[in-house]
Amino acid sequence: MKTDFNHIPHDPETTVLFQLESCFDDIPACYQSWHFDGIRGESIIFMNKDLKNRNDTDLIAKVKASRLVKKNTPVTLSRNPPGYLFINFNIHLDG
């Protein structure tokens, strides 16, 4: 299943530092490293249409269990904007 991540909406004040399209747990996904207002973070972005029969709790658990997420750091989920699911992690202040 090929998904086009070329139209991921983003805040105009957010700078995407790195982006890679791939699969996460066999689901098309886009990884981003970003910077916004003195904050750096990372996200795995899914399109809702690719998440058939997947629940948010399981997706968060899989992301937390990955090598991407630093241990004992918060992981958040957002469905804003519609059509996309963002799982954000490794968020910290610059410096």
Side-chain angles (χ1 to χ4, degrees):
M1 176 184 314
K2 179 71 175 143
T3 297
D4 180 10
F5 288 99
N6 290 328
H7 304 289
I8 298 171
H10 69 279
D11 184 300
E13 296 183 25
T14 299
T15 302
V16 175
L17 304 171
F18 179 78
Q19 178 170 311
L20 176 68
E21 292 180 33
S22 189
C23 285
F24 186 86
D25 195 36
D26 297 327
I27 307 167
C30 181
Y31 165 85
Q32 286 185 346
S33 172
W34 48 266
H35 179 264
F36 170 77
D37 197 28
I39 299 169
R40 287 187 185 261
E42 300 170 58
S43 300
I44 296 178
I45 304 161
F46 301 99
M47 293 188 75
N48 287 337
K49 69 180 184 75
D50 296 327
L51 297 175
K52 300 176 183 94
N53 302 319
R54 307 280 181 145
N55 72 48
D56 294 352
T57 304
D58 289 343
L59 286 170
I60 289 173
K62 288 179 187 286
V63 170
K64 278 185 173 181
S66 76
R67 294 181 181 193
L68 296 171
V69 179
K70 295 175 185 168
K71 287 190 177 216
N72 302 317
T73 60
V75 175
T76 63
L77 182 142
S78 170
R79 289 190 183 273
N80 185 18
Y84 295 88
L85 181 141
F86 288 70
I87 297 181
N88 307 302
F89 52 94
N90 296 344
I91 298 170
H92 62 275
L93 295 175
D94 273 347

mmCIF file of all heavy atoms in Angstrom, residues 45-77:
data_model
loop_
_atom_site.group_PDB
_atom_site.id
_atom_site.type_symbol
_atom_site.label_atom_id
_atom_site.label_comp_id
_atom_site.label_asym_id
_atom_site.label_seq_id
_atom_site.Cartn_x
_atom_site.Cartn_y
_atom_site.Cartn_z
ATOM 1 N N ILE A 45 4.009 9.927 11.662
ATOM 2 C CA ILE A 45 2.726 10.399 11.140
ATOM 3 C C ILE A 45 2.108 9.296 10.293
ATOM 4 O O ILE A 45 2.773 8.721 9.423
ATOM 5 C CB ILE A 45 2.925 11.662 10.292
ATOM 6 C CG1 ILE A 45 3.651 12.729 11.126
ATOM 7 C CG2 ILE A 45 1.593 12.177 9.757
ATOM 8 C CD1 ILE A 45 4.300 13.818 10.306
ATOM 9 N N PHE A 46 0.849 9.011 10.581
ATOM 10 C CA PHE A 46 0.087 8.021 9.818
ATOM 11 C C PHE A 46 -1.096 8.728 9.169
ATOM 12 O O PHE A 46 -1.573 9.737 9.679
ATOM 13 C CB PHE A 46 -0.470 6.927 10.736
ATOM 14 C CG PHE A 46 0.569 6.171 11.510
ATOM 15 C CD1 PHE A 46 0.843 6.492 12.834
ATOM 16 C CD2 PHE A 46 1.255 5.118 10.925
ATOM 17 C CE1 PHE A 46 1.775 5.782 13.564
ATOM 18 C CE2 PHE A 46 2.195 4.406 11.636
ATOM 19 C CZ PHE A 46 2.461 4.742 12.962
ATOM 20 N N MET A 47 -1.568 8.182 8.088
ATOM 21 C CA MET A 47 -2.826 8.655 7.519
ATOM 22 C C MET A 47 -3.933 7.779 8.084
ATOM 23 O O MET A 47 -3.801 6.546 8.142
ATOM 24 C CB MET A 47 -2.784 8.590 5.999
ATOM 25 C CG MET A 47 -1.771 9.574 5.424
ATOM 26 S SD MET A 47 -1.830 9.708 3.648
ATOM 27 C CE MET A 47 -3.326 10.677 3.465
ATOM 28 N N ASN A 48 -5.014 8.409 8.529
ATOM 29 C CA ASN A 48 -6.118 7.660 9.146
ATOM 30 C C ASN A 48 -6.614 6.518 8.257
ATOM 31 O O ASN A 48 -6.950 5.458 8.754
ATOM 32 C CB ASN A 48 -7.275 8.593 9.482
ATOM 33 C CG ASN A 48 -6.976 9.483 10.665
ATOM 34 O OD1 ASN A 48 -6.138 9.182 11.501
ATOM 35 N ND2 ASN A 48 -7.654 10.605 10.730
ATOM 36 N N LYS A 49 -6.611 6.726 6.953
ATOM 37 C CA LYS A 49 -7.123 5.701 6.047
ATOM 38 C C LYS A 49 -6.292 4.418 6.079
ATOM 39 O O LYS A 49 -6.782 3.356 5.703
ATOM 40 C CB LYS A 49 -7.197 6.238 4.614
ATOM 41 C CG LYS A 49 -5.852 6.485 3.955
ATOM 42 C CD LYS A 49 -6.031 7.020 2.542
ATOM 43 C CE LYS A 49 -4.722 7.187 1.830
ATOM 44 N NZ LYS A 49 -4.120 5.972 1.381
ATOM 45 N N ASP A 50 -5.050 4.500 6.563
ATOM 46 C CA ASP A 50 -4.180 3.325 6.635
ATOM 47 C C ASP A 50 -4.265 2.605 7.979
ATOM 48 O O ASP A 50 -3.585 1.597 8.187
ATOM 49 C CB ASP A 50 -2.723 3.732 6.387
ATOM 50 C CG ASP A 50 -2.505 4.274 4.996
ATOM 51 O OD1 ASP A 50 -3.190 3.816 4.058
ATOM 52 O OD2 ASP A 50 -1.642 5.160 4.838
ATOM 53 N N LEU A 51 -5.077 3.111 8.891
ATOM 54 C CA LEU A 51 -5.115 2.577 10.256
ATOM 55 C C LEU A 51 -6.321 1.693 10.536
ATOM 56 O O LEU A 51 -6.823 1.650 11.655
ATOM 57 C CB LEU A 51 -5.077 3.735 11.263
ATOM 58 C CG LEU A 51 -3.808 4.573 11.229
ATOM 59 C CD1 LEU A 51 -3.934 5.759 12.166
ATOM 60 C CD2 LEU A 51 -2.596 3.726 11.568
ATOM 61 N N LYS A 52 -6.762 0.970 9.564
ATOM 62 C CA LYS A 52 -7.921 0.090 9.746
ATOM 63 C C LYS A 52 -7.673 -0.876 10.908
ATOM 64 O O LYS A 52 -6.632 -1.505 10.990
ATOM 65 C CB LYS A 52 -8.182 -0.705 8.474
ATOM 66 C CG LYS A 52 -8.479 0.173 7.275
ATOM 67 C CD LYS A 52 -8.628 -0.673 6.025
ATOM 68 C CE LYS A 52 -8.838 0.189 4.824
ATOM 69 N NZ LYS A 52 -7.619 0.492 4.108
ATOM 70 N N ASN A 53 -8.627 -0.962 11.801
ATOM 71 C CA ASN A 53 -8.586 -1.901 12.927
ATOM 72 C C ASN A 53 -7.391 -1.711 13.846
ATOM 73 O O ASN A 53 -6.949 -2.642 14.506
ATOM 74 C CB ASN A 53 -8.633 -3.352 12.426
ATOM 75 C CG ASN A 53 -9.865 -3.620 11.609
ATOM 76 O OD1 ASN A 53 -10.963 -3.159 11.947
ATOM 77 N ND2 ASN A 53 -9.701 -4.350 10.519
ATOM 78 N N ARG A 54 -6.829 -0.522 13.892
ATOM 79 C CA ARG A 54 -5.724 -0.224 14.813
ATOM 80 C C ARG A 54 -6.242 0.767 15.846
ATOM 81 O O ARG A 54 -6.888 1.741 15.513
ATOM 82 C CB ARG A 54 -4.543 0.426 14.087
ATOM 83 C CG ARG A 54 -4.041 -0.310 12.895
ATOM 84 C CD ARG A 54 -3.139 -1.448 13.313
ATOM 85 N NE ARG A 54 -2.644 -2.122 12.122
ATOM 86 C CZ ARG A 54 -1.445 -2.634 12.022
ATOM 87 N NH1 ARG A 54 -0.616 -2.570 13.022
ATOM 88 N NH2 ARG A 54 -1.086 -3.234 10.918
ATOM 89 N N ASN A 55 -5.959 0.505 17.105
ATOM 90 C CA ASN A 55 -6.412 1.476 18.095
ATOM 91 C C ASN A 55 -5.238 2.312 18.594
ATOM 92 O O ASN A 55 -4.075 1.913 18.508
ATOM 93 C CB ASN A 55 -7.204 0.803 19.233
ATOM 94 C CG ASN A 55 -6.344 -0.001 20.160
ATOM 95 O OD1 ASN A 55 -5.317 0.467 20.617
ATOM 96 N ND2 ASN A 55 -6.768 -1.221 20.460
ATOM 97 N N ASP A 56 -5.555 3.486 19.105
ATOM 98 C CA ASP A 56 -4.541 4.446 19.504
ATOM 99 C C ASP A 56 -3.613 3.893 20.582
ATOM 100 O O ASP A 56 -2.400 4.101 20.530
ATOM 101 C CB ASP A 56 -5.206 5.732 20.009
ATOM 102 C CG ASP A 56 -5.962 6.472 18.918
ATOM 103 O OD1 ASP A 56 -5.860 6.073 17.731
ATOM 104 O OD2 ASP A 56 -6.645 7.461 19.253
ATOM 105 N N THR A 57 -4.160 3.203 21.548
ATOM 106 C CA THR A 57 -3.356 2.665 22.647
ATOM 107 C C THR A 57 -2.298 1.700 22.129
ATOM 108 O O THR A 57 -1.137 1.754 22.559
ATOM 109 C CB THR A 57 -4.268 1.964 23.680
ATOM 110 O OG1 THR A 57 -5.254 2.900 24.122
ATOM 111 C CG2 THR A 57 -3.473 1.462 24.863
ATOM 112 N N ASP A 58 -2.668 0.825 21.211
ATOM 113 C CA ASP A 58 -1.700 -0.123 20.641
ATOM 114 C C ASP A 58 -0.626 0.593 19.836
ATOM 115 O O ASP A 58 0.558 0.233 19.896
ATOM 116 C CB ASP A 58 -2.402 -1.162 19.759
ATOM 117 C CG ASP A 58 -3.229 -2.145 20.564
ATOM 118 O OD1 ASP A 58 -3.028 -2.242 21.796
ATOM 119 O OD2 ASP A 58 -4.090 -2.818 19.951
ATOM 120 N N LEU A 59 -1.020 1.605 19.054
ATOM 121 C CA LEU A 59 -0.035 2.349 18.272
ATOM 122 C C LEU A 59 0.966 3.070 19.178
ATOM 123 O O LEU A 59 2.175 3.028 18.934
ATOM 124 C CB LEU A 59 -0.731 3.364 17.360
ATOM 125 C CG LEU A 59 -1.448 2.787 16.145
ATOM 126 C CD1 LEU A 59 -2.296 3.864 15.473
ATOM 127 C CD2 LEU A 59 -0.462 2.206 15.151
ATOM 128 N N ILE A 60 0.474 3.703 20.228
ATOM 129 C CA ILE A 60 1.370 4.382 21.168
ATOM 130 C C ILE A 60 2.319 3.373 21.806
ATOM 131 O O ILE A 60 3.524 3.628 21.924
ATOM 132 C CB ILE A 60 0.574 5.156 22.235
ATOM 133 C CG1 ILE A 60 -0.089 6.375 21.599
ATOM 134 C CG2 ILE A 60 1.480 5.597 23.382
ATOM 135 C CD1 ILE A 60 -1.030 7.113 22.519
ATOM 136 N N ALA A 61 1.809 2.233 22.213
ATOM 137 C CA ALA A 61 2.652 1.207 22.838
ATOM 138 C C ALA A 61 3.745 0.731 21.883
ATOM 139 O O ALA A 61 4.900 0.543 22.287
ATOM 140 C CB ALA A 61 1.797 0.032 23.301
ATOM 141 N N LYS A 62 3.408 0.544 20.626
ATOM 142 C CA LYS A 62 4.402 0.101 19.641
ATOM 143 C C LYS A 62 5.471 1.164 19.408
ATOM 144 O O LYS A 62 6.653 0.849 19.281
ATOM 145 C CB LYS A 62 3.728 -0.282 18.333
ATOM 146 C CG LYS A 62 2.954 -1.591 18.431
ATOM 147 C CD LYS A 62 2.279 -1.911 17.107
ATOM 148 C CE LYS A 62 1.374 -3.107 17.245
ATOM 149 N NZ LYS A 62 2.068 -4.368 17.351
ATOM 150 N N VAL A 63 5.067 2.420 19.351
ATOM 151 C CA VAL A 63 6.043 3.497 19.169
ATOM 152 C C VAL A 63 6.941 3.584 20.400
ATOM 153 O O VAL A 63 8.160 3.691 20.287
ATOM 154 C CB VAL A 63 5.345 4.842 18.868
ATOM 155 C CG1 VAL A 63 6.339 6.000 18.920
ATOM 156 C CG2 VAL A 63 4.669 4.784 17.502
ATOM 157 N N LYS A 64 6.362 3.524 21.608
ATOM 158 C CA LYS A 64 7.152 3.572 22.838
ATOM 159 C C LYS A 64 8.163 2.436 22.903
ATOM 160 O O LYS A 64 9.262 2.602 23.422
ATOM 161 C CB LYS A 64 6.245 3.497 24.066
ATOM 162 C CG LYS A 64 5.622 4.787 24.457
ATOM 163 C CD LYS A 64 4.847 4.598 25.760
ATOM 164 C CE LYS A 64 4.333 5.894 26.286
ATOM 165 N NZ LYS A 64 3.611 5.716 27.557
ATOM 166 N N ALA A 65 7.789 1.276 22.380
ATOM 167 C CA ALA A 65 8.663 0.109 22.421
ATOM 168 C C ALA A 65 9.768 0.162 21.360
ATOM 169 O O ALA A 65 10.714 -0.620 21.408
ATOM 170 C CB ALA A 65 7.841 -1.165 22.239
ATOM 171 N N SER A 66 9.660 1.084 20.426
ATOM 172 C CA SER A 66 10.656 1.170 19.358
ATOM 173 C C SER A 66 11.955 1.778 19.881
ATOM 174 O O SER A 66 11.997 2.375 20.958
ATOM 175 C CB SER A 66 10.119 2.006 18.195
ATOM 176 O OG SER A 66 10.163 3.379 18.515
ATOM 177 N N ARG A 67 12.992 1.665 19.081
ATOM 178 C CA ARG A 67 14.285 2.261 19.426
ATOM 179 C C ARG A 67 14.307 3.769 19.227
ATOM 180 O O ARG A 67 15.250 4.433 19.627
ATOM 181 C CB ARG A 67 15.384 1.643 18.571
ATOM 182 C CG ARG A 67 15.607 0.199 18.842
ATOM 183 C CD ARG A 67 16.713 -0.336 17.989
ATOM 184 N NE ARG A 67 16.900 -1.749 18.244
ATOM 185 C CZ ARG A 67 17.928 -2.428 17.839
ATOM 186 N NH1 ARG A 67 18.872 -1.828 17.133
ATOM 187 N NH2 ARG A 67 18.036 -3.699 18.107
ATOM 188 N N LEU A 68 13.263 4.304 18.638
ATOM 189 C CA LEU A 68 13.209 5.735 18.364
ATOM 190 C C LEU A 68 12.989 6.571 19.614
ATOM 191 O O LEU A 68 13.492 7.679 19.733
ATOM 192 C CB LEU A 68 12.086 6.044 17.366
ATOM 193 C CG LEU A 68 12.227 5.462 15.967
ATOM 194 C CD1 LEU A 68 10.942 5.666 15.174
ATOM 195 C CD2 LEU A 68 13.398 6.111 15.252
ATOM 196 N N VAL A 69 12.205 6.047 20.542
ATOM 197 C CA VAL A 69 11.784 6.813 21.708
ATOM 198 C C VAL A 69 12.750 6.613 22.865
ATOM 199 O O VAL A 69 13.060 5.483 23.241
ATOM 200 C CB VAL A 69 10.353 6.415 22.137
ATOM 201 C CG1 VAL A 69 9.916 7.191 23.364
ATOM 202 C CG2 VAL A 69 9.379 6.633 20.991
ATOM 203 N N LYS A 70 13.221 7.739 23.427
ATOM 204 C CA LYS A 70 14.078 7.665 24.601
ATOM 205 C C LYS A 70 13.262 7.140 25.776
ATOM 206 O O LYS A 70 12.105 7.523 25.949
ATOM 207 C CB LYS A 70 14.652 9.041 24.920
ATOM 208 C CG LYS A 70 15.578 9.548 23.839
ATOM 209 C CD LYS A 70 16.031 10.957 24.120
ATOM 210 C CE LYS A 70 16.846 11.453 22.949
ATOM 211 N NZ LYS A 70 17.087 12.884 23.006
ATOM 212 N N LYS A 71 13.867 6.279 26.575
ATOM 213 C CA LYS A 71 13.156 5.671 27.703
ATOM 214 C C LYS A 71 12.637 6.728 28.677
ATOM 215 O O LYS A 71 13.278 7.746 28.915
ATOM 216 C CB LYS A 71 14.075 4.712 28.452
ATOM 217 C CG LYS A 71 14.336 3.453 27.697
ATOM 218 C CD LYS A 71 15.040 2.448 28.554
ATOM 219 C CE LYS A 71 15.195 1.189 27.740
ATOM 220 N NZ LYS A 71 15.064 0.002 28.503
ATOM 221 N N ASN A 72 11.481 6.432 29.224
ATOM 222 C CA ASN A 72 10.842 7.262 30.253
ATOM 223 C C ASN A 72 10.573 8.691 29.797
ATOM 224 O O ASN A 72 10.656 9.622 30.590
ATOM 225 C CB ASN A 72 11.674 7.262 31.538
ATOM 226 C CG ASN A 72 11.862 5.869 32.074
ATOM 227 O OD1 ASN A 72 10.930 5.071 32.108
ATOM 228 N ND2 ASN A 72 13.074 5.551 32.485
ATOM 229 N N THR A 73 10.255 8.865 28.516
ATOM 230 C CA THR A 73 9.863 10.186 28.018
ATOM 231 C C THR A 73 8.428 10.114 27.527
ATOM 232 O O THR A 73 7.958 9.061 27.091
ATOM 233 C CB THR A 73 10.785 10.671 26.875
ATOM 234 O OG1 THR A 73 10.726 9.745 25.801
ATOM 235 C CG2 THR A 73 12.216 10.828 27.346
ATOM 236 N N PRO A 74 7.708 11.230 27.606
ATOM 237 C CA PRO A 74 6.298 11.218 27.211
ATOM 238 C C PRO A 74 6.116 11.004 25.705
ATOM 239 O O PRO A 74 6.943 11.410 24.888
ATOM 240 C CB PRO A 74 5.783 12.591 27.611
ATOM 241 C CG PRO A 74 6.911 13.348 28.172
ATOM 242 C CD PRO A 74 8.129 12.510 28.146
ATOM 243 N N VAL A 75 5.026 10.372 25.388
ATOM 244 C CA VAL A 75 4.599 10.170 24.003
ATOM 245 C C VAL A 75 3.163 10.674 23.920
ATOM 246 O O VAL A 75 2.332 10.307 24.744
ATOM 247 C CB VAL A 75 4.678 8.681 23.596
ATOM 248 C CG1 VAL A 75 4.117 8.455 22.212
ATOM 249 C CG2 VAL A 75 6.115 8.181 23.678
ATOM 250 N N THR A 76 2.894 11.547 22.944
ATOM 251 C CA THR A 76 1.547 12.091 22.797
ATOM 252 C C THR A 76 0.978 11.733 21.436
ATOM 253 O O THR A 76 1.721 11.444 20.498
ATOM 254 C CB THR A 76 1.535 13.623 22.959
ATOM 255 O OG1 THR A 76 2.317 14.216 21.915
ATOM 256 C CG2 THR A 76 2.079 14.034 24.319
ATOM 257 N N LEU A 77 -0.329 11.761 21.351
ATOM 258 C CA LEU A 77 -1.028 11.457 20.107
ATOM 259 C C LEU A 77 -1.952 12.612 19.768
ATOM 260 O O LEU A 77 -2.592 13.177 20.650
ATOM 261 C CB LEU A 77 -1.830 10.170 20.286
ATOM 262 C CG LEU A 77 -2.598 9.682 19.068
ATOM 263 C CD1 LEU A 77 -2.535 8.164 18.981
ATOM 264 C CD2 LEU A 77 -4.033 10.133 19.115
#
